[in-house]
Amino acid sequence: QVQLVESGGGSVQPGESLRLSCVASESIFNINNMGWYRQAPGKERETVAIITTGGKINYAGFVQGRFTISRGNDKDIMSLQMNSLKPEDTAVYFCAVVTYKGGTFQKYWGQGTQVAVSS
């Protein structure tokens, strides 16, 4: 079973930056898409950014050019550079990878990393 581990979260002030990383326990094949999600207290999990099979990148509207998702190599799956952080960006951030093989999709989640933005 593939395991994903996020890192790079922390507590910062508004306007500062963080870089999140997502590392897999083993090489992942047949990746369909990958992305970052977040869940704030009392809210549902929402998509932050996704890289599709063809390399197309989609960002949520609230990103507004502040975040950059990048695909890594092998087990270093991906990263999320977050600039100009706002208090409303406070949430647990999760990475996820979807594989597709033999007509079956499989989604793997990390355990999440906390991002707190406050003055």
Side-chain angles (χ1 to χ4, degrees), residues 47-66:
T47 303
V48 177
I50 292 178
I51 302 177
T52 66
T53 304
K56 182 179 179 181
I57 294 176
N58 295 313
Y59 292 101
F62 59 77
V63 169
Q64 298 176 327
R66 301 178 297 128

Side-chain angles (χ1 to χ4, degrees), residues 53-110:
T53 304
K56 182 179 179 181
I57 294 176
N58 295 313
Y59 292 101
F62 59 77
V63 169
Q64 298 176 327
R66 301 178 297 128
F67 299 174
T68 302
I69 186 173
S70 298
R71 182 168 183 164
N73 297 308
D74 196 26
K75 299 178 186 179
D76 187 12
I77 295 296
M78 59 181 153
S79 63
L80 183 69
Q81 176 68 41
M82 303 189 296
N83 300 325
S84 302
L85 284 162
K86 305 175 181 180
E88 51 264 43
D89 294 319
T90 295
V92 178
Y93 284 71
F94 302 87
C95 64
V97 173
V98 176
T99 62
Y100 180 73
K101 184 179 181 181
T104 300
F105 288 96
Q106 178 98 39
K107 192 165 191 175
Y108 301 93
W109 290 93

Side-chain angles (χ1 to χ4, degrees), residues 11-31:
S11 296
V12 296
Q13 295 186 341
E16 294 186 337
S17 300
L18 284 173
R19 183 178 180 86
L20 307 183
S21 296
C22 179
V23 176
S25 58
E26 58 188 78
S27 298
I28 304 177
F29 301 97
N30 305 305
I31 294 177

